[in-house]
Amino acid sequence: MDPVRPYTEVLDRLKSAGLRPTRQRLALAKLLADSGDRHITAEQLHDEAQRAGVRVSLATVYNTLHQFTAAGLLREVVVEAGRSYFDTNTSNHHHFFHQDRGELVDIPAGAVTVSELPVAPEGSAIESVHVVVRIRDDAN
Amino acid sequence: MDPVRPYTEVLDRLKSAGLRPTRQRLALAKLLADSGDRHITAEQLHDEAQRAGVRVSLATVYNTLHQFTAAGLLREVVVEAGRSYFDTNTSNHHHFFHQDRGELVDIPAGAVTVSELPVAPEGSAIESVHVVVRIRDDAN
DNA sequence: TTTTTTCTTTAGAATTGTTCTAATCTATTG
DNA sequence: CAATAGATTAGAACAATTCTAAAGAAAAAA
Ligand SMILES: [Mn+2]
Ligand SMILES: [Mn+2]
Ligand SMILES: [Zn+2]
Ligand SMILES: [Zn+2]
């Protein structure tokens, strides 16, 4: 809110995650925060950083995405082999996966309901419940 | 049922899929059929074949798994980056994914219910709905 | 401040699961 | 039996990701 210190919020989040506010982390956090809800891969974020003139290595993008995920700032979503998406929306929600385009899209809250939850097998506890609705271009 | 022609069923399935009943395909089909419901990776099936004395290359295991999947004899399930599971149960059902062990387990039919289905985005149609319940060893 | 320590970034190598290539082999067809 | 179409294979290639170890930057200590 204070135009003189535009990074205050991101700074606080990094601090409370025990992460030093480096140039690279601040820039990546800003790119992620400024773009609304998204589902982005490491390579995509790396490209985006390059285009924005931010010099950062792909290794650092991977490190940062995992650190942000561990800190609860991102959520990792896997729906196809060999590719991880990072979701800027960390709330519990489900996804459409558009198989023709390789695109993840949030399912609006309430549009899908898991009404009966299974009991976790003996000795284990449920950590998350995720519904993936695979869709294809309509054959109309 | 006829002990003299134990491969009849597998043979028929291959034939109707337009696949030649080669030694490799018959052996892999048998391994998959004889072991009950399973969620197996290509490498695991390859190892199992080796141990059973079946000589088959990993490339052929991959080819065969994909052909069987295309023929509807298997279902491919992806829950973690960089690894595909092939499910011998092709009916519609959902999964526990045991994150500590990297193990997929069927959720019993009826133990989970998706009561409200989302409307597919304009121009697309729903192809499948899959619920993944991630579990962890209990912290008891 | 300066020094020291700890954490971070990075290029490039390595790893993993998977797919591709193109030569050899085998099942089917005529 | 050919002849042909299809299948198998070893090993190369690939793509996403992780690792390594050296150089750099931030924080803590002096
Ligand atoms: Mn990861
Ligand atoms: Mn596949
Ligand atoms: Zn999302
Ligand atoms: Zn299953």
Side-chain angles (χ1 to χ4, degrees), chain B residues 20-21 62 66 82-84:
Chain B
R20 290 181 179 173
Y62 273 105
H66 285 137
R83 179 176 266 87
S84 261

Side-chain angles (χ1 to χ4, degrees), chain A residues 81 134, chain B residues 66 69 74-78 83-87 130:
Chain A
R134 278 161 216 277
Chain B
H66 285 137
T69 301
L74 291 175
R75 167 178 163 192
E76 191 173 355
V77 178
V78 176
R83 179 176 266 87
S84 261
Y85 292 85
F86 291 86
D87 193 338
H130 186 205

Side-chain angles (χ1 to χ4, degrees), chain A residues 13-20 25:
Chain A
R13 297 193 132 185
L14 291 183
K15 185 178 293 178
S16 67
L19 297 172
R20 292 178 179 175
R25 284 181 185 147

